[in-house]
């Protein structure tokens, strides 16, 4: 059984509220939402961080952004605004070392981020 939390969600060992699922990508609602819409979009391939991406992986990263666009539209946050975030390593506060794109929306965000 995989040790990675998000690999366990992919395998079904840990439940999640799914928002999108295909052969390469899974999206599910964050368990501790930081905004009215907070969805995590992950590749089914285990990749720890952006720093570990290799050339063939950029295809799936592009598809993750396409899924984010679709989910933003489905959640009616395209026009109001949304944020897409990859946290990478310690200074960014990454907790789960399986690449994930945060889709956040439904409220106003500040800049610079905390
Ligand atoms: P990060 O800080 O970018 O690594 O974010 C990890 C995110 O995963 C956090 O927003 C957590 O709330 C979220 N998370 C942790 N465990 C789960 C889970 N079992 N289901 C859904 N989201 C989770
Ligand atoms: Zn993983």
């Amino acid at each position: 059984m995989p040790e990675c939390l998000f690999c366990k969600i992919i395998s079904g060992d840990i439940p999640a509220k799914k928002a999108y699922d295909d052969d390469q990508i899974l999206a599910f609602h964050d368990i501790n939402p930081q905004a009215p819409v907070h969805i995590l979009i992950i590749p089914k391939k285990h990749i720890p961080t952006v720093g570990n991406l290799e050339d063939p992986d950029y295809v799936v990263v592009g598809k993750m952004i396409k899924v984010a666009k679709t989910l933003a539209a489905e959640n009616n946050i395209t026009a109001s605004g949304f944020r897409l975030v990859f946290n990478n390593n310690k200074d960014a506060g990454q907790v789960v070392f399986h690449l994930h794109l945060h889709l956040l929306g439904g409220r106003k965000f500040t800049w610079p981020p905390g």
Side-chain angles (χ1 to χ4, degrees):
M1 204 161 95
E3 290 303 310
C4 168
L5 176 66
F6 287 176
C7 283
K8 287 180 182 170
I9 288 177
I10 292 164
S11 67
D13 292 324
I14 291 178
K17 191 180 165 201
K18 290 183 187 177
Y20 179 87
D21 192 1
D22 70 20
D23 57 331
Q24 288 184 300
I25 293 170
L26 181 67
F28 51 92
H29 294 267
D30 197 290
I31 204 166
N32 183 23
Q34 301 301 310
V37 177
H38 189 175
I39 297 171
L40 303 175
I41 301 155
I42 69 172
K44 290 193 171 174
K45 177 182 176 185
H46 179 86
I47 302 167
T49 76
V50 168
N52 299 104
L53 288 171
E54 295 175 359
D55 273 349
D57 299 326
Y58 296 108
V59 176
V60 76
V61 172
K63 288 180 181 173
M64 288 164 67
I65 294 171
K66 182 177 180 180
V67 170
K69 174 189 168 176
T70 301
L71 291 173
E74 284 180 13
N75 286 276
N76 298 310
I77 55 172
T78 303
S80 54
F82 60 90
R83 199 167 272 184
L84 295 178
V85 176
F86 285 108
N87 290 323
N88 289 276
N89 287 328
K90 186 163 46 77
D91 281 359
Q94 186 177 5
V95 175
V96 179
F97 286 82
H98 181 127
L99 192 73
H100 50 281
L101 180 60
H102 294 259
L103 167 63
L104 296 141
R107 69 170 172 88
K108 192 159 173 54
F109 299 104
T110 56
W111 194 264

